[in-house]
C-alpha cells in the first residue's frame, strides 16, 4: 500500500496539532536549548494524546447514543455539549486561561454525560417495565 493511501485527514490534523503545540512551547522557552526542544516534543506528544483521548471519547459517546436508537438532535444527547460550553465559557470569560477553560469544559461534559446517561437509562428501564408506579 502506498504512503498516500495510508494517510487520512485526521493525520494532517494531528500533525498540525503536534507542530502548533511544539511551536508554542518553543516560543515560551527563554532560550533555544536542547532541553527546550525536548520539552516541546513532550508537550506536543501530550497535546496529541489528550486530543485523541477527548475526540475519541466524544465520538464514542455520539456513536453509542446513535446505536442505542437515539438521534443526535435529542436533548439528552445535546445537554452535555451545552453544559461543557457553558462551563468552559464561565471559566474563560472572567479572565481564565484557555487551558483551564478546556479542562473545565471537558469535566463538565463528562459529568453531564454521566448524569444524562443515568437519567436516560432509568427512564428507558422504567418505560420498558410497563409499571405505572415507579416505587412499586
Amino acid at each position: 500500500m502506498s504512503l498516500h493511501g495510508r494517510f487520512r485527514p485526521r493525520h494532517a490534523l494531528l500533525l498540525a496539532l503536534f507542530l502548533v503545540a511544539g511551536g508554542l512551547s518553543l516560543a515560551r522557552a527563554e532560550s533555544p536549548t536542547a532541553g527546550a526542544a525536548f520539552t516541546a516534543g513532550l508537550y506536543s506528544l501530550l497535546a496529541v494524546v489528550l486530543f485523541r483521548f477527548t475526540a475519541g471519547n466524544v465520538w464514542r459517546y455520539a456513536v453509542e447514543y446513535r446505536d442505542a436508537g437515539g438521534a443526535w438532535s435529542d436533548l439528552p444527547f445535546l445537554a452535555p455539549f451545552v453544559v461543557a460550553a457553558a462551563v468552559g465559557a464561565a471559566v474563560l470569560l472572567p479572565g481564565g486561561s484557555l487551558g483551564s477553560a478546556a479542562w473545565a469544559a471537558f469535566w463538565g461534559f463528562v459529568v453531564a454525560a454521566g448524569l444524562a446517561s443515568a437519567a436516560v437509562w432509568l427512564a428507558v428501564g422504567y418505560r420498558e417495565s410497563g409499571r405505572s408506579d415507579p416505587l412499586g
Side-chain angles (χ1 to χ4, degrees), residues 33-134:
T33 63
F38 181 74
T39 302
L42 288 178
Y43 186 73
S44 296
L45 289 174
L46 178 64
V48 168
V49 167
L50 288 175
F51 176 79
R52 290 204 46 160
F53 173 76
T54 303
N57 282 328
V58 169
W59 180 249
R60 278 188 285 285
Y61 169 76
V63 169
E64 287 296 324
Y65 191 85
R66 181 78 172 148
D67 287 348
W72 289 346
S73 59
D74 293 347
L75 182 62
F77 174 74
L78 294 175
F81 294 101
V82 172
V83 168
V87 169
V91 170
L92 183 63
L93 291 180
S97 71
L98 185 59
S100 298
W103 189 245
F106 170 77
W107 284 109
F109 178 86
V110 168
V111 170
L115 292 173
S117 355
V120 167
W121 181 73
L122 288 171
V124 168
Y126 175 71
R127 186 176 38 222
E128 288 179 356
S129 71
R131 292 184 160 178
S132 60
D133 179 15

